[in-house]
Amino acid sequence: MKRIIALLLAAVMVFTFVACSGSGNGEDESTPTPAPGTDATPTGAEVDYTEGGKYLNFPGANGDDNLKLPALELTSNEVTFLTHDAPADPSLDRFIAFRDAYGASLKVTVVGASDRITKFVAAVMGGESPDMFNYDFRPSLVNKGYCAPWDDYIDFSLGLWDDVRASLDNVKFKNHYYTVGTAPSRWNSLIYYNTEIFEELSLKTPKEYYDEGNWTWTTMRELALQATVDADSDGSPEIYGFACGACPGFFYSAGKALVEYSDEGAINNMKSAEVARAMQFYTDLVVNDGSTLYGEDLRKEFAAGQIAMYCASGWYCFSWGDMMLNQTLELVPFPKDPDADAYYVHEVFGSYMMGKDSPNPYGAAAYMYSALYDNFNTQEKIEKTSEERVEEGGWSNEIDDMIMTMCYENKVPVLSTWSTFELGEFWGEIWFGPHLGEPWSAIAEEVAPQVDEKIRIAFEE
């Protein structure tokens, strides 16, 4: 349980597992990583010989075989990283594996978000390829030879990867791992609800439906209607049964992203039966029922008890500290498509790529292994009460447990490709069109050719 909770913590930090040495030149006094087959070990580490090869075990691994890091032959103790994020403090505990087990440090180059690709390509073309590059995956970077696959440097069969294996396999491209992540993010796969409203109205809660295996689009819609209260019958409910901004969770729960990767490249799902069914349901729920309050940011209304169920980004949860501590906030996964064979959830994953001709590829691999180790291990060291965590701007322990159960256990991730194919350009047509009474078939007919062009650009430019 704690392992995957730690994955969520890493996602909350937007995986800011980046650091440079104090001097800024990448120098580090740690003992360098031993080459495989030698007896030298990094400071504070012990070499453990296990079936399958030589692994590093050191304080904090808690005796778990999955936390044994493979010994790697780094070219140097400096790993170069091109990113748009500000580097994190290298003294943080979560750097223990990278710093102490591998004796490595990062030399970080921070560039503007708008010119990341240009800077990366220029570095590769100029013979100064970074070991790692952080950006939404771009197929064209692979097709033009600017990226190298991770496969030759990372053993993806190791148990370290087990908790993210389904996510990892989703980002395979041309049968290789050109982009890698360690912390799946499933923010848009949550429905928050106010327990007091369901108690006052004597209604079954979403969790009760979930526990009995009957939490679907259909039951959520019925519950939204039951939880809508318009006491004075003026057409403006005092309590709305449901609220949302744009809700991509519907077509993801049908098992589809608007664009998905394939062996041939990518598939445009705008006209697929699954997306059409999901968007028709969305239209009925949001426009036709009168039980849904629509808006981009309704968190205050939710906290004030004016909304029973709210589909919102997971980040919003941080503003509901009182509800968390009073235990009036609970959550369930996005409801299951009645026609689907599993609970499918929207996931963002990956985005760490290796530059072609990386000068220190095993150093880059050490970074990724260490991030996985951190995801497993850091939470073991954190002993804080719910009150302490909420006060620091985080989730309560109870909410952590709910997220684990509802978003990660027995759920099938569907990879988000929204940013890769720049689908935000069609935000208005996709989400506001239904509110104007436009049928999805007409919206898809207009937008699908433009999405095809975005796919072409992502693969060729």
Side-chain angles (χ1 to χ4, degrees), residues 48-87:
D48 178 62
Y49 292 89
T50 64
E51 184 178 356
K54 189 174 187 179
Y55 292 83
L56 302 176
N57 201 352
F58 52 96
N62 301 318
D64 189 331
D65 287 345
N66 284 327
L67 300 182
K68 294 177 180 177
L69 302 170
L72 300 171
E73 188 171 3
L74 277 62
T75 306
S76 72
N77 69 339
E78 180 180 276
V79 180
T80 56
F81 188 19
L82 180 66
T83 180
H84 69 289
D85 293 322

Side-chain angles (χ1 to χ4, degrees), residues 288-308:
N288 300 331
D289 285 358
S291 61
T292 297
L293 182 61
Y294 178 79
E296 286 304 305
D297 186 355
L298 300 170
R299 66 184 110 177
K300 292 181 180 178
E301 289 85 349
F302 177 69
Q306 298 169 11
I307 298 166

Side-chain angles (χ1 to χ4, degrees), residues 143-341:
N143 291 339
K144 293 187 175 183
Y146 298 128
C147 292
W150 291 93
D151 308 48
D152 292 339
Y153 308 102
I154 291 180
D155 182 356
F156 290 107
S157 70
L158 294 179
L160 274 167
W161 295 97
D162 285 351
D163 283 345
V164 297
R165 194 164 306 285
S167 305
L168 185 68
D169 288 343
N170 274 347
V171 298
K172 257 189 174 181
F173 181 66
K174 294 186 174 181
N175 206 37
H176 290 285
Y177 298 109
Y178 283 97
T179 182
V180 178
T182 63
S185 173
R186 298 178 179 177
W187 309 122
N188 289 323
S189 296
L190 297 173
I191 301 290
Y192 299 95
Y193 65 94
N194 186 324
T195 60
E196 289 184 330
I197 292 176
F198 289 91
E199 182 177 348
E200 290 172 2
L201 297 177
S202 299
L203 296 174
K204 288 171 60 175
T205 66
K207 184 177 185 299
E208 288 178 298
Y209 280 102
Y210 177 82
D211 287 343
E212 68 185 26
N214 193 27
W215 180 237
T216 68
W217 294 354
T218 305
T219 53
M220 187 191 77
R221 184 180 183 186
E222 293 171 353
L223 196 55
L225 288 166
Q226 294 169 7
T228 298
V229 177
D230 185 3
D232 56 10
S233 302
D234 66 351
S236 296
E238 292 79 28
I239 299 175
Y240 282 89
F242 184 69
C244 67
C247 274
F250 284 110
F251 53 73
Y252 284 106
S253 65
K256 293 291 182 181
L258 291 185
V259 179
E260 65 184 55
Y261 294 117
S262 72
D263 292 340
E264 294 75 29
I267 300 172
N268 182 345
N269 287 322
M270 289 287 294
K271 296 182 180 181
S272 72
E274 293 86 353
V275 169
R277 182 174 69 249
M279 293 306 292
Q280 182 58 56
F281 181 83
Y282 170 79
T283 301
D284 292 340
L285 177 71
V286 176
V287 179
N288 300 331
D289 285 358
S291 61
T292 297
L293 182 61
Y294 178 79
E296 286 304 305
D297 186 355
L298 300 170
R299 66 184 110 177
K300 292 181 180 178
E301 289 85 349
F302 177 69
Q306 298 169 11
I307 298 166
M309 297 179 288
Y310 186 21
C311 173
S313 166
W315 297 107
Y316 288 178
C317 191
F318 297 137
S319 65
W320 299 326
D322 289 343
M323 295 182 73
M324 281 190 276
L325 294 179
N326 294 333
Q327 297 189 343
T328 59
L329 176 70
E330 293 192 358
L331 54 88
V332 287
F334 207 88
K336 182 178 176 291
D337 174 2
D339 293 334
D341 58 357

